[in-house]
Amino acid sequence: MPIAHPATDARIESLLARMTVEEKVGQLGVFADMVRPFAPDVNPEVNVSNAAQVLEQVRAGQVGCLFNGVGAAQGREIQRVAVEESRLGIPVLLAADVIHGMRTVFPIPLGEAASFEPQLAERTARATAVEATAAGLHWTYAPAVDIARDQRWGRGAEGAGEDTFLGCAFAAARVRGFQGEDLRAADSLLATPKHFVAYGAVAGGMDYNYVEIAEGTLHDVHLPPFKAAVDAGALTVMTAFNDINGVPASANHAMLTGVLRDAWGFPGLVVSDYTADMELVAHGYAEDARDATRRAFLAGMDMSMQSGFYAEHLPGLVESGEVPVALLDEAVRRVLSVKSAIGLLDDPYRSLDPAREVDTSQRAAHEALARDAARRSIVLLKNEGDVLPVSRQARIALIGPFARDVDNIEGCWTLFGDKSRYVTLEAGLRAALPEGAALDVVDGCALEAPLDGGIESAVAAARGADVVLLAVGEPQRYSGEAQSRTRIVLPAAQQALAEAVAATGTPVVVLLRNGRALALEGAVRDAQAILVTWFLGSQTGHAVADVVFGEYSPSGRLPVSFPHDSGQQPFFYNHPRTGRPETPEMTEFKARWREYPNTALYPFGHGLGYGRIEYGATRVDAPALEWDGSLQVRATVANTGARAAEEVVQLYVHDRVGSRVRPVRELKGFRKLRLQPGESREVVFTLSRAQLAFTGADGRFAAEPGAFDVWIAPSSVAGEPARFELLASR
Ligand code: NOJ
């Protein structure tokens, strides 16, 4: 699957023929962009040089890519040095971690996945690409496509949650969005599915920890989102920090070469995560820097980020013959082919237009998109007594440390967001209320500590209100890289605030802020209504106001299961069946905990709106699915409520008997519908054998004939199944 055409091939071959080994190795080097750095660094400081040193390296042909700098004008200067002052004039790739927005910040990826609208993620990724390329970037280290089945892991916030089918849909959509239709366009941003692979499976949910994983789980759960991203046209992949059954992912020949290149035909380049080659020594997988370089390179890692290991050791390894020069050429060819594919060899100043950088003509459209994406990401978990939507005439107390907070709006992975445009909860609610409306705003406590008199003022405000909007949750630095938790609960000071406010008896609507599923406790769990608002980005306040006042009926569904208790982790809905399935009666000697059932408090797929949605029975058009045939599954979905609503109709299957124990249910389709009051619609999904395949006991990925259950349902635990038989091939 070549990515360059013959004329470009000739140009790349002619460059290769003229390059010294050092210049070839130079193309494989990725270093921090100290020419145009930004304030908060997200990586540990390793080998950081100053701007003059970086430009000198560029001049010497020692840099393939600079990352995490920003700015079009200085980007032109970097490129001018590369093109005019380096011997071969090869332009540099300019990359950054632009995960869920550039200047305009969209919801964290986990939150956006709750929309169950991949096409929405495609649009926010497109807008992000437009802004990032205007700021002098070619390449983003996104999307993260790691499947997170353990909510203690903080990086679940960066992905699409616990489910592989949903993860694949979002992975592909985000790649399409970042890259757009034409890779050579000035606003096309190269995407990087990461972290390859099984990073979400770190033991105990502790970041950077080891991964012990069954082959079937690796292939059926963690690899598919990468395949989906590659099939959607991703030309770069980033390795992971973790090992996989003892072999570090960044030196894993079976994965980087066997799966990615040989089995999938991936034509692009593999970049290491930050110092991941260096870390092979700490893993105890390589003896020293030279050994680490050799192992990572021979496994299939093309570009080395920040360690400087390739620059230092690859030339010697080529000289000694331990690394064949043909393999070095292959890696360089891949890097040059990617540069060529985005038009950089033809126009080194692509995406480096200072006029575009200051152009704000797209801003209003991007803000409108951010508001819509944010409100579509909100999940309504419960709404007792229809306390939501709130009347604009009600006396409202907005209480909690997030009420006027502006530092916990963007979420864990925003480097370049324009903070001056962030809308707080208070600002959003005020903008939606008439002049003089009764809105009392009280912090009540700080994020992690009580405030003097905080509870007293909160209680007084609650007493004087018809309804409390309680803005509590996790500080944003609780999620993201290196932010693993043992207990996925609210900070104690916030829980105490919630208890005191609830004791007033005024109805409470929790506005939960969170980068993962949480184990809700006490007054937060028992509040009349709960809205999961994640970290929603620039337009947070407006989006929440839209939902609170009923301008928008919530349509998000959980992409992660909310457990009863932290100790249930890892908890995910599609777990294998046990030999002693628990019973609703909590019978002894069944698979459950002493304290809790083996269920979620709020399961994957759950979410309510302001309509009342009812599902008819799931029906199959025929009792059997022929081996090469297809089968239609249908159900009627009706809105019997008084308000219009959007419903996420979900298709699940369960293979009743397999050569390996099968999950209790697996998502195989979803569709979001808008239903007017009184409207009903028949929803039809088509199943074929491909959707039923898994890695069987013989190691082959195939469907197995036999009986299946199928549900069309509003969540991963709802509904009654229909049954069909997959017939063996004749
Ligand atoms: C480390 C993170 O794991 C990765 O996601 C990120 O792209 C790099 N740092 C570069 O900042």
Side-chain angles (χ1 to χ4, degrees), residues 216-492:
T217 309
L218 178 60
H219 284 270
D220 298 351
V221 175
H222 294 276
L223 280 164
F226 288 93
K227 177 73 163 60
V230 166
D231 288 347
L235 287 182
T236 83
V237 166
M238 184 185 285
T239 66
F241 288 130
N242 54 280
D243 74 85
I244 305 164
N245 298 329
V247 181
S250 295
N252 199 309
H253 189 273
M255 292 296 120
L256 298 178
T257 299
V259 170
L260 189 58
R261 295 199 187 291
D262 296 348
W264 296 354
F266 173 63
L269 66 84
V270 173
V271 62
S272 81
D273 199 345
Y274 193 92
T275 61
D277 48 3
M278 187 169 102
E279 293 168 24
L280 297 177
V281 179
H283 269 296
Y285 189 72
E287 274 173 28
D288 51 24
R290 190 173 192 277
D291 192 31
T293 304
R294 184 180 63 81
R295 286 176 185 273
F297 184 81
L298 291 179
M301 181 204 284
D302 298 312
M303 298 188 94
S304 157
M305 188 188 291
Q306 197 60 18
S307 66
F309 273 24
Y310 276 22
E312 207 177 330
H313 298 290
L314 258 186
L317 288 163
V318 171
E319 170 85 34
S320 70
E322 285 161 276
V323 166
V325 74
L327 280 190
L328 175 63
D329 286 354
E330 265 309 302
V332 177
R333 206 171 267 125
R334 288 195 280 261
V335 173
L336 294 178
S337 298
V338 170
K339 290 186 175 181
S340 162
I342 67 164
L344 207 55
L345 299 186
D346 296 316
D347 176 10
Y349 299 100
R350 168 205 194 276
S351 309
L352 293 172
D353 176 357
R356 230 187 107 207
E357 188 170 25
V358 293
D359 174 12
T360 53
S361 57
Q362 313 244 24
R363 182 182 286 185
H366 290 181
E367 279 181 351
L369 177 60
R371 180 172 183 160
D372 196 36
R375 60 192 199 169
R376 289 176 175 280
S377 302
I378 295 173
V379 185
L380 175 61
L381 295 184
K382 65 187 288 202
N383 191 15
E384 275 172 24
D386 288 340
V387 59
L388 282 170
V390 170
S391 155
R392 285 183 165 85
Q393 273 67 54
R395 290 172 305 154
I396 302 168
L398 171 64
I399 299 174
F402 296 101
R404 24 185 165 212
D405 170 275
V406 81
D407 297 325
N408 293 271
I409 274 190
E410 56 188 21
C412 59
W413 239 142
T414 304
L415 303 182
F416 311 107
D418 180 352
K419 291 199 167 47
S420 69
R421 287 156 56 203
Y422 293 177
V423 182
T424 64
L425 285 177
E426 179 183 11
L429 294 170
R430 287 212 190 282
L433 286 168
E435 191 74 16
L439 176 67
D440 199 1
V441 182
V442 176
D443 294 338
C445 66
L447 290 174
E448 296 175 287
L451 286 176
D452 273 354
I455 293 219
E456 289 76 359
S457 356
V459 165
R463 287 216 173 98
D466 300 318
V467 62
V468 171
L469 302 179
L470 185 65
V472 290
E474 293 186 299
Q476 81 182 16
R477 63 185 164 74
Y478 280 22
S479 47
E481 186 177 348
Q483 303 308 319
S484 300
R485 304 189 65 193
T486 54
R487 300 197 59 232
I488 51 174
V489 296
L490 257 53

Side-chain angles (χ1 to χ4, degrees), residues 43 67-68 97 141 155 194-195 238 241 273-274 481:
N43 294 296
F67 77 102
N68 279 355
D97 289 292
Y141 298 144
R155 301 200 77 172
K194 69 184 188 185
H195 306 80
M238 184 185 285
F241 288 130
D273 199 345
Y274 193 92
E481 186 177 348

